[in-house]
Structure formats: structure tokens, C-alpha cells
Amino acid sequence: MLKKLVFATNNQHKLEEISAIVGNSIELLSLKDIGCFDEIPEEQDTLEGNAIQKAEYIFQKYNLDCFADDTGLEVEVLDNKPGVYSARYSYYEFPNIPKEQRAEANMQKLLRELKGNNKRKADFRTVICLIEKGKQHLFEGKVEGEIIDPPRGMKGFGYDPIFVPDGYSTTFAEMDLIEKNKISHRAIAIDKLSKYLKGL
């Protein structure tokens, strides 16, 4: 019998990426599928803390095996910022911009902070918290690279147009989903999750 897992996200891009990675090995349910339209809290100061908080929220409320992730872009010269605040990095500067413009505002804020600085080393890190039968399991994926300016590419989301992974000349936003899913931080973490679920 196919294992059912709730993925605690409303982010359609993440859902598509992870569905492509797990394929038919798991029946992936979205929050919409289980009738959850809550604003799930993300109040912790680490990626691990946020992933745990989101997964716990769903498990406690619906008693369903589930997993949640949190991802951050960590720029070395900025003391690993934006990190856990990646998705809302520009919020205090521009609190009232529409949600669909937030990613662009975050990216532009980061590029302003790096202007004139040739130290561009960064990494993308994803932490997944799986809650299975009430027990927590953490999985991490990380890919190193550098920040470029100007942005390149129309695919992907978030900071993808300014991140070039080590060993590549293209940004995440210039890669198709198949290529990105071979190397991305999220793919690495999901692969670890998938292997665990399959007992490998």
C-alpha cells in the first residue's frame, strides 16, 4: 500500500519540485488536500526550528504523518544572512508590497547589500522534519555556490536567478526542473527522506 504523507506547505513551486523528486513512491498530500487553510506558524530562529514547528502543528491538529521543510540562502560575508529570514528578508523595508512581489524585493535587497563586494560565496540549505507515528526525524540538504549580479533565468523561484551552484555556469533559474532536481539542496534533503521511508 502506497504511503501517504502530508507536505506542510502552501508553496506550489515547492510542491511541484518535491512531487517530481518522489515520483510515485509516496502519495503526497498538500495542505489543501487535507482541508488545512491555516497560516502555519514559523516563529523560530533556525531552519531546523521552523521545520519542526510546522510539522508539529500539522501532526498535532490532524494526527497525520507529515513533513515540513524550511530553506535558507546563507551568504558567508553577510554572516550567513538572510538564512532563516530568506522568505521575508525585505519585509521591514517594504511591509506592504503584494505577496507575489516579495521574492523580487528580497533578491534586490540582498544584491544591494553585496554591491561592490567580490566575496560572493553562499549556500542554499534545506532542513526537513518528518513526523512519523509521532517521532521526529531531521534531514538536511546543502549546495554551495556563489551569488551573481545581474540575475539570470526565468525558471525556479526565490533567489534562484542569482545563485550559481559550484561546478556550474548556470543559475538555478536557468536550469529545467529535471536538472535542478539532480543537485539542489531540496533534492538532497528529499532524497535522504525518501531513502529513509523506503528503508534504504
Side-chain angles (χ1 to χ4, degrees):
M1 186 176 171
L2 204 59
K3 183 169 184 62
K4 290 185 179 182
L5 264 186
V6 178
F7 180 25
T9 187
N10 287 308
N11 187 315
Q12 191 59 35
H13 293 292
K14 283 186 183 181
L15 203 56
E16 287 168 6
E17 276 194 10
I18 290 186
S19 293
I21 295 166
V22 300
N24 296 321
S25 61
I26 297 165
E27 185 179 347
L28 205 58
L29 302 176
S30 67
L31 292 177
K32 185 179 176 183
D33 290 332
I34 64 168
C36 178
F37 301 97
D38 302 357
E39 194 69 40
I40 298 176
E42 293 181 69
E43 303 158 330
Q44 308 306 307
D45 57 6
T46 64
L47 299 177
E48 290 82 358
N50 274 343
I52 290 168
Q53 184 177 26
K54 289 189 283 186
E56 281 283 0
Y57 183 91
I58 295 302
F59 184 77
Q60 294 296 334
K61 186 165 182 177
Y62 295 93
N63 196 31
L64 293 169
D65 287 350
C66 61
F67 69 94
D69 80 318
D70 201 22
T71 293
L73 175 66
E74 301 172 330
V75 182
E76 189 175 271
V77 76
L78 298 178
D79 296 323
N80 289 331
K81 294 179 196 166
V84 73
Y85 304 107
S86 293
R88 54 192 186 279
Y89 197 42
S90 62
Y91 181 79
Y92 291 106
E93 278 182 77
F94 308 106
N96 298 316
I97 63 171
K99 193 174 183 180
E100 60 273 14
Q101 294 175 21
R102 179 62 61 198
E104 178 68 22
N106 291 338
M107 191 165 57
Q108 293 304 325
K109 173 178 167 67
L110 182 66
L111 291 177
R112 287 195 302 274
E113 291 180 341
L114 287 174
K115 198 169 181 68
N117 196 323
N118 60 6
K119 293 180 179 178
R120 297 288 177 121
K121 186 173 170 54
D123 65 66
F124 259 127
R125 193 164 67 92
T126 290
V127 176
I128 290 173
C129 175
L130 166 71
I131 299 183
E132 185 186 35
K133 299 183 178 75
K135 289 187 177 179
Q136 283 181 16
H137 307 272
L138 292 177
F139 307 91
E140 181 185 280
K142 184 163 87 166
V143 60
E144 297 184 344
E146 66 172 6
I147 303 299
I148 61 141
D149 190 11
R152 299 199 315 254
M154 301 298 290
K155 298 167 186 167
F157 59 100
Y159 298 90
D160 285 358
I162 60 172
F163 184 82
V164 176
D166 286 350
Y168 291 79
S169 58
T170 52
T171 68
F172 271 164
E174 293 175 300
M175 297 179 182
D176 62 35
L177 197 55
I178 293 171
E179 186 179 11
K180 183 183 176 186
N181 279 344
K182 288 177 182 175
I183 62 164
S184 81
H185 46 295
R186 188 168 289 111
I188 293 167
I190 284 291
D191 184 57
K192 291 177 181 177
L193 168 67
S194 185
K195 284 177 176 172
Y196 167 80
L197 292 170
K198 292 172 185 174
L200 299 177

